[in-house]
Amino acid sequence: ATVYGLQEDNNALSKMVFDSFGMNIKVPGLYQLAMKKPNFLWLRMDNNEVNQSMVIRKFPYKNKNQFAMDSIIGLRNEYGKEFIRTGFEDAYMSTNVIDLPTYEYTYYQNGVYTKEVRGIWETVNDFMGGPFVSYLMHNEAKGEIVFIDIFVFAPGKEKRDFVQQLDCI
């Protein structure tokens, strides 16, 4: 109810996700398109309390090494450095694997091999950060990997519910 109950769905963004990635994701109405590039989509919801973001990417499947923790962190850092910026010219998002543990889980979701990574992100050359969850899924039929990364920025707030809302989507 918190995610979908008080608003219409954003059918245009849901269609964009389906057309770009072949995934049926019901995007809540308050979410907006932050950026669209080939094989890259960034959706976000901002208000006075929280910034919630979802990035979806896809890549050709090459080998199982793409599912290694270092590879997934590399994917996060790659797009974070290129696209997730703050008001400072040389500031960008990066994964912090030093100060808190980064957890990984492997499972099959609806018959799809999935790797989940949870940890914290921060900005280089700025003072922002928060939790993230990355999902890497192997689409065997298309020979590709779909990468979904969710992250939250909510200074001074408990982040658990905000991450759960993104997980719900």
Side-chain angles (χ1 to χ4, degrees):
T2 304
V3 177
Y4 295 105
L6 301 175
Q7 57 192 314
E8 298 291 322
D9 298 339
N10 190 326
N11 293 324
L13 286 182
S14 295
K15 182 177 179 348
M16 188 179 297
V17 170
F18 184 79
D19 292 346
S20 299
F21 301 96
M23 297 171 40
N24 287 315
I25 294 181
K26 187 177 172 183
V27 179
L30 294 178
Y31 278 75
Q32 299 177 348
L33 178 64
M35 184 180 295
K36 183 179 192 302
K37 303 272 185 190
N39 299 319
F40 180 94
L41 194 60
W42 177 15
L43 311 176
R44 65 188 284 173
M45 191 281 299
D46 300 321
N47 62 34
N48 293 338
E49 187 174 52
V50 61
N51 297 341
Q52 293 171 293
S53 289
M54 176 185 298
V55 171
I56 308 170
R57 302 173 73 189
K58 69 179 177 181
F59 309 92
Y61 175 76
K62 296 176 185 168
N63 58 53
K64 66 181 182 179
N65 293 335
Q66 290 172 283
F67 287 89
M69 172 79 86
D70 291 343
S71 176
I72 296 170
I73 298 301
L75 291 174
R76 289 197 84 259
N77 291 340
E78 174 190 303
Y79 90 80
K81 188 169 188 174
E82 187 171 353
F83 299 123
I84 312 299
R85 302 284 186 163
T86 70
F88 295 103
E89 183 177 328
D90 59 346
Y92 57 90
M93 184 174 75
S94 182
T95 307
N96 182 333
V97 295
I98 296 170
D99 295 324
L100 288 173
T102 303
Y103 298 98
E104 65 180 313
Y105 308 94
T106 304
Y107 50 88
Y108 282 85
Q109 179 75 31
N110 297 324
V112 176
Y113 180 79
T114 303
K115 177 73 76 140
E116 176 182 330
V117 174
R118 291 178 176 261
I120 59 168
W121 64 273
E122 64 186 13
T123 52
V124 175
N125 299 319
D126 200 352
F127 300 98
M128 296 173 67
F132 77 87
V133 183
S134 297
Y135 301 95
L136 203 65
M137 296 164 281
H138 184 198
N139 183 343
E140 287 187 67
K142 292 187 176 183
E144 64 188 17
I145 293 175
V146 176
F147 174 74
I148 300 176
D149 191 59
I150 60 175
F151 58 97
V152 171
F153 177 65
K157 305 286 183 193
E158 291 292 325
K159 282 65 165 181
R160 182 186 65 100
D161 289 351
F162 299 132
V163 171
Q164 284 181 341
Q165 290 168 11
L166 283 163
D167 271 337
C168 177
I169 298 168

